[in-house]
Amino acid sequence: MIRFTAVNKFYGGFKALNAVDLIVKEGERVVVCGPSGSGKSTLIRCMNQLEQHDTGSIEVLGRTLGDDLRATDQIRKDVGMVFQSFNLFPHMTVLENCMIAPQLVRKQAAENAKDVAMDFLNRVHIQDQASKYPSQLSGGQQQRVAIARALCMSPKIMLFDEPTSALDPEMIGEVLEVMTDLAEEGMTMVCVTHEMGFAKRAADRIIFMSKGEIVEDGAPDDFFASPKTERARSFLRRLDLTPSTH
Amino acid sequence: MALVQFRDGNSGIVVGEQPAAGTSISSKARLNGINLLVSAIAVALIVWALYWIVDWAVIRAVWTSEDGSACRVADAGACWAVIHVRWRIILFGLYPYDEQWRSAAACLVIVVTAILSCTRPFHTLARLTLLWLVGFGSFIALMRGGVLGLSSVSVNDWGGLSLTLFIFAAVSITGMPLAIMLALLRRSRLTLIGKTTAIIIDVVRAIPLLAILFTVGVIIPFGLPDALVGEKLYRVIAAFSLYFACYQAEIIRSGFQAIPTGQEEAAQALGMSYRQRVAYVLLPQAFKAVLPPTVNQFVITFLETSLVVVIGFFDVLASGNAAFGTAKWGIAKIEVYLFVAAIFFTFTFSLSRYGAYLERRGAPNAAK
Ligand SMILES: Nc1ncnc2c1ncn2[C@@H]1O[C@H](COP(=O)(O)OP(=O)(O)O)[C@@H](O)[C@H]1O
Ligand SMILES: [Mg+2]
């Protein structure tokens, strides 16, 4: 589904991704972790071309991304993304947030888009807030709306970039629960998160990044039991000292 | 100069020390006394001014007088007779007397079109465009004539309120899309386009409106072949519109800057195209952020329309000048200006009320 081959990405002179090779198969749940600034966001944002890579090749859902802008448009329809800062549209109601892209991009009729939206708002347990504006919701509720909004496009892959990092601790659970449900339904997911409980529960694979490189890539049990590199060991040690932050 | 300042500063200190020298209670009492005195004086002044105005504008006012002679008696108040006798000149300028109903109807068309375009059902691009095409079409048909059995009237004879409204409406309706386009070009990712747009905007903003109007109204006809010149009114509207657009573009740009980058990224991630992102995500948020300065810009533009008088157009202010410009009515200058001011006030005040209404309507979802 996703194939990175020798991908490099520069910000000016700074190398944010260094010769990254990665394959994510259909139905796989991959958790990406690593210290701040290690290139996790850059990696995941290359998957739907919010960032353009410089060299190497990225193939998503059978299309090669890069100069072909039509391929990028096509991929964005089929790849959903959830951001750390929710990024709901503040001038639209919750329902409108969920209906706008299916109507504009998938050319769905309004009633159809509304049915689909209400269905997904139900699934994230927020149907009774449909007519409110995002600013009237709590952070956890907003993030669940953001997940529903992405799902309304019926994506084949879901990308999450630290979806719980901006949330108060008591709201993290409700968002992770929705993500766990999604994982159990078999959605292909790439998820940047430091919620190691979620990783153990829901992930098939853990990728550990450091300084723009993929340093470790393996099953969660192996990664937590016996990390192969010193960098991963010290990362895990620091996480244990300060659980559920960053 | 320095000496004067020094003395001022010195006396200020002395005055400041006096209350501090007494006990705090007596200084408080003295302050209260001063407050009371100042308030009493202010109230007295206001009452006196109100009395004077009512006396002048209502009690002693002359409401009718065919030739203005009643206004010239010793204790006559406001000469509203001038409005009674000359209102058609003020509102319609030099437009042929028997056809002035057309000018009135044309005003009404513009006002109704403007009000309709403020209502929800017309808030789609297609309907708004259609509405204004019909609005301007009927305005021009009414004013110019030559169709449907209406006699034809030269643009040079258009004047008064209908001309003012027409220029304002045309400038706003053509200037706003132009402003949006300039604001979008200015944030283009291609630096050449962005820089060029920035230079155009800055150059236009650096030239006084008077100079621009004078150039397109008077100078361009000398330099260009007749076929390219076009009618003066439309040249002026085009130039005015560009001027409006350059200011409004900067206002809109500041609105774009107020939007977090995550908004555009979210829209991109949902697969929305550039146009869709601009139309559904960026512009609605930008306009909400810059509503007050935008209303301000409209009000300023409405008032600036009276500058067209310098190139020979008879807007409502210029026709007002004509209304007292005879020996009979020369005394009624203030009354005519008050009347014209009331007309301007009606329109600009409605504009700012509508702006306030829009702000209130946007309030619940703008609240953090
Ligand atoms: N737009 C940008 N311009 C310049 N440097 C950037 C930009 N985005 C990220 N970086 C740099 O790239 C590195 C990786 O960033 P990022 O992928 O956001 O890391 P992570 O998500 O793992 O914290 C960081 O050092 C960051 O400073
Ligand atoms: Mg990040």
Side-chain angles (χ1 to χ4, degrees):
Chain A
M1 285 218 134
I2 304 175
R3 181 196 301 270
F4 277 50
T5 316
V7 171
N8 290 307
K9 161 78 189 167
F10 295 88
Y11 291 115
F14 179 81
K15 197 165 193 179
L17 289 184
N18 187 6
V20 169
D21 293 307
L22 173 69
I23 292 178
V24 178
K25 292 202 274 300
E26 180 163 2
E28 233 179 349
R29 271 82 58 177
V30 180
V31 161
V32 181
C33 62
S36 176
S38 57
K40 307 180 296 295
S41 296
T42 309
L43 177 82
I44 201 172
R45 288 158 63 88
C46 280
M47 293 175 184
N48 65 354
Q49 292 287 289
L50 286 185
E51 301 286 355
Q52 276 85 42
H53 57 293
D54 293 300
T55 61
S57 87
I58 300 180
E59 204 183 287
V60 179
L61 295 168
R63 285 169 200 269
T64 306
L65 301 181
D67 301 330
D68 182 1
L69 293 180
R70 247 182 291 138
T72 302
D73 287 347
Q74 196 56 46
I75 286 310
R76 285 176 179 166
K77 290 183 196 172
D78 291 334
V79 177
M81 187 167 206
V82 175
F83 301 84
Q84 181 176 348
S85 48
F86 325 140
N87 297 345
L88 294 177
F89 304 130
H91 57 298
M92 300 179 192
T93 63
V94 164
L95 185 60
E96 286 165 349
N97 263 280
C98 294
M99 288 169 62
I100 181 94
Q103 281 183 278
L104 292 177
V105 181
R106 292 236 187 263
K107 313 286 177 209
Q108 277 180 16
E111 313 90 72
N112 194 354
K114 186 177 174 186
D115 290 345
V116 174
M118 285 313 294
D119 191 31
F120 279 111
L121 288 173
N122 247 318
R123 299 250 292 269
V124 300
H125 318 297
I126 209 155
Q127 64 281 10
D128 47 335
Q129 316 280 355
S131 58
K132 287 195 179 168
Y133 285 93
S135 58
Q136 296 166 315
L137 304 186
S138 75
Q141 291 174 319
Q142 288 189 51
Q143 194 60 298
R144 284 185 281 148
V145 173
I147 295 174
R149 175 176 72 172
L151 292 176
C152 284
M153 285 291 287
S154 28
K156 302 192 170 72
I157 302 174
M158 283 288 286
L159 309 176
F160 294 82
D161 191 356
E162 306 207 31
T164 55
S165 298
L167 295 176
D168 292 335
E170 75 269 20
M171 295 173 185
I172 292 177
E174 65 195 53
V175 172
L176 290 180
E177 194 182 314
V178 168
M179 290 168 60
T180 310
D181 288 349
L182 204 56
E184 278 163 8
E185 285 164 27
M187 174 67 77
T188 309
M189 291 165 68
V190 180
C191 185
V192 176
T193 183
H194 293 157
E195 293 298 330
M196 290 306 144
F198 171 76
K200 280 179 196 159
R201 223 172 30 244
D204 306 314
R205 253 168 89 191
I206 294 210
I207 287 174
F208 175 73
M209 289 188 73
S210 172
K211 297 187 179 139
E213 293 176 34
I214 294 182
V215 181
E216 299 207 18
D217 181 349
D221 292 344
D222 299 341
F223 178 72
F224 289 117
S226 54
K228 292 192 270 300
T229 59
E230 174 52 33
R231 277 188 279 186
R233 273 193 291 276
S234 74
F235 174 74
L236 284 176
R237 241 179 283 128
R238 253 176 296 135
L239 271 191
D240 284 342
L241 286 178
T242 52
S244 81
T245 56
H246 288 286
Chain B
M1 196 60 190
L3 186 67
V4 172
Q5 273 175 349
F6 173 74
R7 262 209 248 135
D8 278 357
N10 218 9
S11 68
I13 288 168
V14 173
V15 171
E17 270 174 357
Q18 275 171 343
T23 68
S24 70
I25 290 171
S26 76
S27 80
K28 243 189 206 156
R30 196 179 311 155
L31 266 179
N32 275 339
I34 292 174
N35 266 346
L36 242 134
L37 191 69
V38 169
S39 308
I41 293 175
V43 168
L45 274 175
I46 291 169
V47 168
W48 178 76
L50 273 180
Y51 170 75
W52 191 89
I53 289 171
V54 171
D55 181 49
W56 177 79
V58 182
I59 299 172
R60 285 185 297 118
V62 177
W63 299 94
T64 50
S65 166
E66 274 313 308
D67 57 359
S69 56
C71 293
R72 281 185 289 273
V73 298
D75 69 339
C79 184
W80 299 124
V82 70
I83 312 294
H84 185 240
V85 176
R86 310 279 283 175
W87 65 274
R88 291 181 81 153
I89 269 243
I90 301 177
L91 290 184
F92 305 125
L94 300 177
Y95 206 80
Y97 194 86
D98 291 334
E99 305 289 335
Q100 283 176 356
W101 64 270
R102 282 159 53 183
S103 186
C107 280
L108 203 64
V109 165
I110 291 284
V111 171
V112 168
T113 309
I115 291 176
L116 281 182
S117 58
C118 290
T119 60
R120 274 276 167 94
F122 286 98
H123 285 181
T124 69
L125 188 60
R127 287 187 194 172
L128 208 58
T129 313
L130 187 69
L131 176 68
W132 279 98
L133 282 178
V134 171
F136 280 133
S138 11
F139 179 94
I140 291 171
L142 275 166
M143 290 296 281
R144 181 189 273 278
V147 287
L148 301 170
L150 299 170
S151 61
S152 102
V153 176
S154 153
V155 173
N156 294 329
D157 293 336
W158 294 12
L161 187 60
S162 55
L163 184 66
T164 297
L165 289 180
F166 180 64
I167 293 175
F168 173 67
V171 166
S172 309
I173 287 301
T174 56
M176 190 51 94
L178 190 59
I180 292 172
M181 215 178 69
L182 287 172
L184 289 172
L185 286 178
R186 185 156 188 183
R187 67 195 284 284
S188 162
R189 261 191 294 165
L190 301 171
T191 29
L192 184 67
I193 294 179
K195 288 249 168 71
T196 315
T197 316
I199 291 173
I200 293 174
I201 290 175
D202 286 344
V203 166
V204 172
R205 289 195 308 157
I207 309 174
L209 180 57
L210 265 183
I212 296 179
L213 293 181
F214 197 72
T215 310
V216 296
V218 181
I219 298 176
I220 283 185
F222 290 115
L224 286 176
D226 278 356
L228 286 179
V229 170
E231 219 158 338
K232 184 159 84 171
L233 180 60
Y234 299 114
R235 287 203 310 275
V236 165
I237 287 174
F240 210 143
S241 160
L242 176 69
Y243 180 82
F244 170 85
C246 286
Y247 278 88
Q248 183 60 29
E250 287 296 278
I251 294 177
I252 296 173
R253 187 168 72 103
S254 75
F256 283 144
Q257 282 171 346
I259 303 173
T261 52
Q263 288 291 310
E264 186 153 25
E265 286 176 356
Q268 273 175 314
L270 287 165
M272 291 166 71
S273 68
Y274 176 73
R275 276 182 193 203
Q276 293 169 340
R277 299 198 301 268
V278 168
Y280 294 94
V281 177
L282 296 182
L283 282 179
Q285 294 190 58
F287 270 105
K288 182 172 279 175
V290 298
L291 196 58
T294 300
V295 172
N296 197 31
Q297 191 60 35
F298 276 119
V299 169
I300 291 173
T301 302
F302 190 84
L303 299 176
E304 278 174 341
T305 52
S306 44
L307 288 179
V308 296
V309 69
V310 296
I311 46 169
F313 282 118
F314 251 54
D315 79 308
V316 66
L317 182 57
S319 345
N321 278 328
F324 61 75
T326 62
K328 269 194 233 163
W329 297 107
I331 39 159
K333 212 174 188 165
I334 293 178
E335 289 82 346
V336 170
Y337 276 135
L338 282 175
F339 181 66
V340 174
I343 293 174
F344 274 99
F345 179 80
T346 308
F347 284 97
T348 53
F349 190 69
S350 317
L351 268 175
S352 41
R353 291 326 297 162
Y354 178 63
Y357 157 76
L358 282 182
E359 256 176 83
R360 268 198 315 279
R361 201 184 68 183
N365 37 326
K368 273 277 134 139

